[in-house]
Amino acid sequence: MSRILDQRILLLVISFSASVQSTKILSEWKKCGDPECEKAMSRVQATTDYLGPDCRYLNFKTGEEIIVYSKLSRENENLWTGSKGKDFGYFPRDAVKVEEVLIGEEVEVLTKETDFLCLHEDKYTFE
């Protein structure tokens, strides 16, 4: 019985280790409207339908309005972060057009590991 328990624990540890190692940091830097990235930066409109590759991405249809809260910078400037209703995630900047700029100046800050986590059914999962 203890051998089966040991095997299950080992599988759990291996599974968790693989998940942590596969965490993808999309960029080390981002630009925001304030140091906490809480201010909305702009209001944009989708120019195309978009379906992201995983749960970190915001899916939308042409014409939908999105509020932008941050823009990845330096190594991955194509991805912005925003919300549409209760949904929040990354999306390519070339899939939207800016309708209204809401801040005067952008602030560049370091990203955090939590910026790249998926939230599913009240549990964090790594992608």
Side-chain angles (χ1 to χ4, degrees):
M1 184 67 129
S2 81
R3 183 175 176 185
I4 292 172
L5 183 59
D6 289 345
Q7 288 176 340
R8 287 183 180 173
I9 291 172
L10 180 61
L11 286 173
L12 183 63
V13 169
I14 289 170
S15 174
F16 180 73
S17 296
S19 293
V20 170
Q21 290 173 357
S22 70
T23 301
K24 292 181 184 175
I25 303 297
L26 301 173
S27 178
E28 291 187 23
W29 294 92
K30 63 184 175 180
K31 292 180 181 176
C32 302
D34 63 285
E36 292 78 33
C37 297
E38 294 175 350
K39 281 186 182 177
M41 298 177 73
S42 59
R43 183 178 53 82
V44 300
Q45 184 177 44
T47 57
T48 186
D49 292 355
Y50 178 72
L51 180 61
D54 63 47
C55 62
R56 297 175 296 176
Y57 292 80
L58 182 67
N59 300 321
F60 50 79
K61 301 220 178 274
T62 303
E64 290 186 308
E65 185 178 282
I66 300 163
I67 302 299
V68 177
Y69 287 94
S70 69
K71 302 172 181 179
L72 295 185
S73 60
R74 299 190 187 189
E75 51 289 330
N76 198 354
E77 294 184 352
N78 185 48
L79 290 178
W80 290 1
T81 311
S83 67
K84 175 188 67 124
K86 63 180 176 126
D87 298 326
F88 187 85
Y90 292 95
F91 59 91
R93 72 178 182 188
D94 59 358
V96 300
K97 66 178 178 181
V98 176
E99 295 286 309
E100 180 181 13
V101 176
L102 304 172
I103 58 147
E105 193 173 313
E106 296 178 352
V107 178
E108 190 170 49
V109 297
L110 283 167
T111 60
K112 300 176 238 167
E113 184 178 298
T114 55
D115 289 336
F116 307 106
L117 295 177
C118 293
L119 183 59
H120 273 311
E121 300 172 12
D122 300 326
K123 296 184 294 185
Y124 286 110
T125 57
F126 291 89
E127 289 295 326

